[in-house]
Amino acid sequence: MSDGSVREAFRSTFGRAAEGLVRAPGRVNLIGEHTDYNDGFVLPIAIERRTLGAWARRGDRAVRFVSRQATEAAEVRLDAPIRPAKPAWANYCRGVAAGLAARGVPLVGADVLFDSDVPLGGGLSSSASLEVAAALALLAAAGAADAVPPGELARLCQKAEHDFAGAPCGIMDQSIALLARAGQALLLDCRSGESRYVPFDDPAAVLLVVDTQVKHDIADGGYAARRAQCHAAAAALGAAALRDVDEAAVAAAGAAGRLAGKELMRARHVVGEIARTLAGVEALAAGQLGRFGELMYASHASLRDDYEVSCQELDAVVELARRCKGVHGARMTGGGFGGCAIILADAARAEAVGRAVADGFEKRFSRRCPVFATRAAAGAEVLP
Ligand code: GLA
């Protein structure tokens, strides 16, 4: 997939040239999992996998969406209320169009064609990259590329996912797709929306992404249940959000019986994970990859045992990685219940590590898992 092949596909689909291209990346989260909807901190990077969108205006009030990853096209009429409909994949785009229209962006009719190498439903935020690509294409077609500031656009895309796809996601994925910078991770405060960049470009290390190919869907209930348990735990602690609580308070509430069972487990994960994220930023800033790796392992264990969002394939990847020479750390990344794990490895050993993990995975599950290396890539952009 390249800019040229997407332009070519646009031409053969719509019989005319695209006027412009947009690009929006997928992501992995280095650490800070299931903290965004608890007002906490996250530390994602954009990856080199991305969704491309080619667009051209039409003379009428229709927007047609086509995806090379889907068989059915979708049409949205700009002069009627925009609602969720079939095909389901285009609901991310419909939701974004509805949000932009509600905000008063003067949308125009357009044809939009997407192509993506972000695995769908693979935990790398294929949906956020589609939302952001759709938003940038519609804005560019309307001649309003800079009309909505990135923080607001991230919230608009998040709302599209809530209202049109039924997925109650946090703000991390859309934010990193829009705000990422090459060679940098993004420390995002999900309460204030403030962020800062943390260099993630040490040439001595490589980040491997291992796709278990176990599909997950954050609209299927497990994610929403975690959210509800976190909010119940915060209420039991008398806090607005788990962000406002520390590890000692959770332990004390557990000992006193004010917090128990799943709510205690969820709170312990979130509060510990926020602390690990901030410690991770310090470790990266000091160039302490070993220390960062220990935090990754601890994050994974907490997601597996207290948050219960890992699965045997993700656990196996982390354990296989831990046994390899030259690995600093590994953990599941994203919402969980499947999807991808990440491994931070010495650059000189990365290839061998990838092979060993894929071999071990195949022995255990009788199929190979794709492994690829990624750098911290740039955020979404409108290309001329
Ligand atoms: C999914 C959601 C994010 C975030 C992660 C878990 O990717 O879309 O908002 O909650 O899960 O950290």
Side-chain angles (χ1 to χ4, degrees):
M1 188 186 87
S2 66
D3 293 5
S5 71
V6 175
R7 283 184 186 279
E8 200 37 57
F10 186 95
R11 182 186 289 282
S12 67
T13 304
F14 296 110
R16 62 202 173 103
E19 285 181 63
L21 275 189
V22 296
R23 184 155 58 203
R27 64 100 187 88
V28 295
N29 190 16
L30 297 179
I31 197 161
E33 218 65 83
H34 289 279
T35 53
D36 59 354
Y37 53 82
N38 289 298
D39 280 3
F41 293 87
V42 293
L43 189 68
I45 61 168
I47 58 174
E48 289 158 323
R49 304 284 184 104
R50 74 275 191 231
T51 298
L52 295 176
W55 60 269
R57 277 167 289 211
R58 292 165 59 91
D60 59 11
R61 302 281 297 151
V63 179
R64 284 198 288 170
F65 293 110
V66 171
S67 163
R68 297 193 83 193
Q69 280 66 50
T71 45
E72 246 184 287
E75 185 171 298
V76 171
R77 307 282 329 171
L78 294 175
D79 36 25
I82 303 172
R83 301 214 169 85
K86 293 224 145 107
W89 74 265
N91 280 332
Y92 300 107
C93 311
R94 289 191 192 92
V96 165
L100 291 172
R103 192 189 179 276
V105 174
L107 295 180
V108 300
D111 290 327
V112 188
L113 178 135
F114 299 106
D115 198 1
S116 183
D117 60 4
V118 186
L120 301 182
L124 299 177
S125 281
S126 54
S127 50
S129 75
L130 176 59
E131 289 148 17
V132 169
L136 294 188
L138 292 173
L139 285 165
D146 298 320
V148 188
E152 192 187 338
L153 195 55
R155 286 191 296 278
L156 190 152
C157 290
Q158 179 197 24
K159 187 168 171 3
E161 188 145 346
H162 287 194
D163 298 349
F164 280 67
C169 63
I171 193 65
M172 167 169 70
D173 306 343
Q174 296 79 5
S175 302
I176 186 66
L178 282 157
L179 297 172
R181 286 191 193 156
Q184 315 267 334
L186 182 78
L187 175 67
L188 176 67
D189 178 337
C190 299
R191 169 171 277 167
S192 67
E194 278 164 26
S195 62
R196 79 179 161 87
Y197 295 94
V198 179
F200 188 71
D201 56 357
D202 186 340
V206 163
L207 192 73
L208 296 172
V209 181
V210 183
D211 187 355
T212 65
Q213 296 190 312
V214 177
K215 294 292 172 200
H216 82 136
D217 181 354
I218 76 164
D220 76 1
Y223 184 93
R226 299 300 181 286
R227 264 192 103 128
Q229 288 157 345
C230 288
H231 291 159
L237 290 161
L242 288 177
R243 154 75 174 272
D244 302 311
V245 180
D246 64 15
E247 285 169 287
V250 172
R258 275 186 296 124
L259 211 52
K262 299 291 183 203
E263 285 171 20
L264 174 61
M265 291 159 68
R266 308 310 186 229
R268 203 159 49 204
H269 164 72
V270 171
V271 169
E273 185 76 357
I274 292 173
R276 280 187 290 273
T277 305
L278 297 174
V281 169
E282 277 176 27
L284 282 184
Q288 296 168 340
L289 295 182
R291 166 95 186 109
F292 190 82
E294 286 307 319
L295 294 163
M296 291 173 78
Y297 286 132
S299 166
H300 184 81
S302 175
L303 288 158
R304 180 191 62 209
D305 301 337
D306 273 342
Y307 220 66
E308 299 179 300
V309 291
S310 188
C311 62
Q312 52 170 349
E313 292 84 353
L314 287 167
D315 294 344
V317 169
V318 171
E319 285 318 310
L320 287 162
R322 198 197 290 268
R323 279 190 236 138
C324 294
K325 237 175 55 200
V327 168
H328 299 292
R331 59 183 289 277
M332 55 158 275
T333 189
F337 307 105
C340 293
I342 51 174
I343 302 172
L344 187 63
D346 277 338
R349 299 278 315 161
E351 236 186 274
V353 169
R355 220 174 312 116
V357 168
D359 287 348
F361 189 96
E362 185 173 11
K363 243 194 209 136
R364 170 122 185 240
F365 300 108
S366 307
R367 61 187 173 82
R368 265 191 111 66
C369 55
V371 180
F372 64 90
T374 189
R375 277 182 295 231
E381 45 188 339
V382 177
L383 307 167

